Amino acid sequence: MRAVLADLSVPRYLLSAVPATRRAARMLSLRDDVPEPALPDAPGWLLLRPELAGICGSDVAVARARSSVVLSAFYAARRQILGHEIVAVDDATGDRFALDPVISCVHRGFDPCRSCRDGHPYVCERFDQPGVTGCQSPTQGFDAALGGGWGEYVVAHRSQLHPVGATPSRRAVLAEPASIALHAALRWRRTGDRAVVIGPGTIGLLTVAALRRLHPGLDITVIGPGAQRESTGADRALDSGPHVVEQLAELHGGRVIRPRLTRTPILEQGVDVVFDCVGYPQTIDVALHLLRPTGMMVLVGGAGRQRVDWSLVWNRQLTVQGTVNSGPEESLGGRTTMAQIVEWLADPAYPVDGVVTHTFGLPEWRTGLDTAAAGPRAGAVKVALRPNPDLPLVA
Ligand SMILES: [Zn+2]
């Protein structure tokens, strides 16, 4: 089959001499001779054809050899077909599905681990063990074994599939990142009336949309560069930088306290929760300075090694909550995040129509990757690839 295959056996020391933007050319290539993914020897598996597959920040990180070295423990596959944000078609029935890419004990054919037993398969303790799937990663799209969204075929278990009916392709392809965003939004048990979301990329905008749906009266500020940031329901958008502390103090009648030796002031009467959907040292720093005592910082999505002064976590007894992936939600009565999101995506009032800004065929994968990496500089939020041009997109 045709797929963009990533060969990660290229040693890191060879890549370190190559600028990050040119590393994809060393590791990724479009090929017509990639073996179709095999159905695992267990019931309930299907072969599907991706209609549209998103390019995630984590895909860009793989292509540029910038993934976390710690997390390489869980992403051991040397041959990967990237793409885990997938809407796919079952040719036998014509049914369309959003695919939940998390592969946990139940899929691998194991007795459930402690996390899976507790209803948290998104932090399964056997993410590195292939079992019957052959997949050596927490989710699909980081191992060629089950295929990925950037190829003509993908294999998925029935329990991973959420029917999307006639939901437009450009909305349905958001099911996975929107589930990450809703799962993140649900980590915060509402304790106040003011939230900040840092990063107006896909995850940030979808976090705003989820918060707005969960908490209609919540005051939401989104921080960061980008034109479309208010379209998903924020009350206001502010440009990034330490000045946001003064701006929020003015808006909400708060007070700023200035440390003698650093640039960023601390906000008194600060906000109740900050969702940092970027995770850079500057954004974590601003988040910590914006929070009221006992507030919560939710770190959504990617991982990394960041040099940050964490003093305010101790001093103001903040909670730092990391989150990625999704699954059964206690606060949704045990329903999965994606089941809820697929329902919201089918509702035209769920304001996410502008999030997919670009689609490209597989032959244009390099342009797609560069556009996704450039983000606001290219006018891009979510960029998606279309691996099967014969499958019509649903408008
Ligand atoms: Zn497990």
Side-chain angles (χ1 to χ4, degrees):
M1 69 170 184
R2 173 173 273 205
V4 178
L5 190 72
D7 177 4
L8 304 192
S9 58
V10 183
R12 276 210 181 210
Y13 71 89
L14 285 181
L15 292 169
S16 61
V18 180
T21 50
R22 286 197 221 134
R23 289 178 191 161
R26 297 289 179 97
M27 295 186 293
L28 273 60
S29 55
L30 178 64
R31 298 172 56 160
D32 289 316
D33 61 349
V34 180
E36 270 181 34
L39 288 173
D41 185 15
W45 292 90
L46 298 173
L47 188 68
L48 303 161
R49 290 203 297 152
E51 177 180 296
L52 215 50
I55 300 178
C56 172
S58 59
D59 298 320
V60 176
V62 170
R64 298 193 164 177
R66 280 184 165 158
S67 301
S68 159
V69 286
V70 172
L71 296 188
S72 64
F74 303 120
Y75 294 87
R78 301 287 83 191
R79 284 163 60 86
Q80 303 185 1
I81 298 171
L82 298 176
H84 56 276
E85 303 174 358
I86 304 169
V87 54
V89 178
D90 177 0
D91 276 338
T93 60
D95 293 335
R96 302 166 67 236
F97 299 99
L99 192 153
D100 181 346
V102 176
I103 305 290
S104 61
C105 285
V106 64
H107 306 110
R108 297 175 201 266
F110 298 140
D111 287 335
C113 69
R114 168 74 191 269
S115 295
C116 285
R117 214 164 49 230
D118 288 350
H120 309 140
Y122 40 81
V123 283
C124 174
E125 293 170 65
R126 294 213 184 86
F127 275 155
D128 62 315
Q129 296 175 27
V132 297
T133 64
C135 175
Q136 281 180 285
S137 73
T139 68
Q140 258 175 303
F142 295 97
D143 189 326
L146 297 175
W150 303 5
E152 286 178 308
Y153 290 95
V154 70
V155 158
H157 192 264
R158 286 197 181 280
S159 62
Q160 293 176 262
L161 300 176
H162 297 266
V164 295
T167 299
S169 307
R170 286 179 176 79
R171 292 174 69 89
V173 74
L174 295 173
E176 196 271 349
S179 297
I180 287 179
L182 173 57
H183 184 65
L186 290 170
R187 293 315 91 199
W188 178 57
R189 302 300 158 107
R190 186 166 177 179
T191 52
D193 296 322
R194 286 181 296 151
V196 164
V197 176
I198 302 180
T202 303
I203 296 287
L205 291 174
L206 294 172
T207 299
V208 170
L211 285 169
R212 177 56 72 227
R213 194 81 165 202
L214 293 170
H215 311 290
L218 185 68
D219 184 276
I220 306 172
T221 302
V222 61
I223 295 175
Q228 306 187 32
R229 53 201 165 193
E230 285 186 281
S231 63
T232 56
D235 291 283
R236 69 193 65 79
L238 303 176
D239 273 324
S240 37
H243 59 269
V244 297
V245 179
E246 277 108 339
Q247 286 178 306
L248 282 179
E250 250 173 62
L251 272 162
H252 294 141
R255 183 168 70 87
V256 299
I257 310 171
R258 291 178 195 285
R260 274 198 310 276
L261 301 173
T262 69
R263 222 168 121 235
T264 312
I266 297 166
L267 181 62
E268 279 296 6
Q269 298 89 49
V271 304
D272 302 283
V273 64
V274 178
F275 294 85
D276 185 342
C277 305
V278 180
Y280 287 168
Q282 310 88 287
T283 60
I284 296 171
D285 187 63
V286 164
L288 295 175
H289 286 74
L290 287 175
L291 282 167
R292 69 168 172 77
T294 75
M296 179 184 264
M297 174 168 66
V298 186
L299 289 167
V300 193
R305 184 162 64 178
Q306 312 297 11
R307 193 178 163 83
V308 173
D309 185 334
W310 294 94
S311 307
L312 291 166
V313 174
W314 282 266
N315 187 268
R316 293 160 83 84
Q317 304 198 21
L318 305 176
T319 299
V320 178
Q321 170 75 56
T323 173
V324 71
N325 294 332
S326 69
E329 302 284 1
E330 278 165 41
S331 43
L332 299 177
R335 202 167 181 219
T336 65
T337 338
M338 195 174 277
Q340 179 64 72
I341 279 296
V342 160
E343 197 180 299
W344 288 355
L345 288 170
D347 172 5
Y350 196 56
V352 298
D353 271 337
V355 175
V356 174
T357 53
H358 299 74
T359 61
F360 295 99
L362 280 191
E364 290 89 55
W365 69 270
R366 281 167 207 266
T367 312
L369 203 59
D370 289 342
T371 307
R377 282 176 285 124
V381 184
K382 175 55 66 188
V383 180
L385 296 180
R386 193 177 171 190
N388 287 293
D390 63 308
L391 287 179
L393 296 188
V394 178

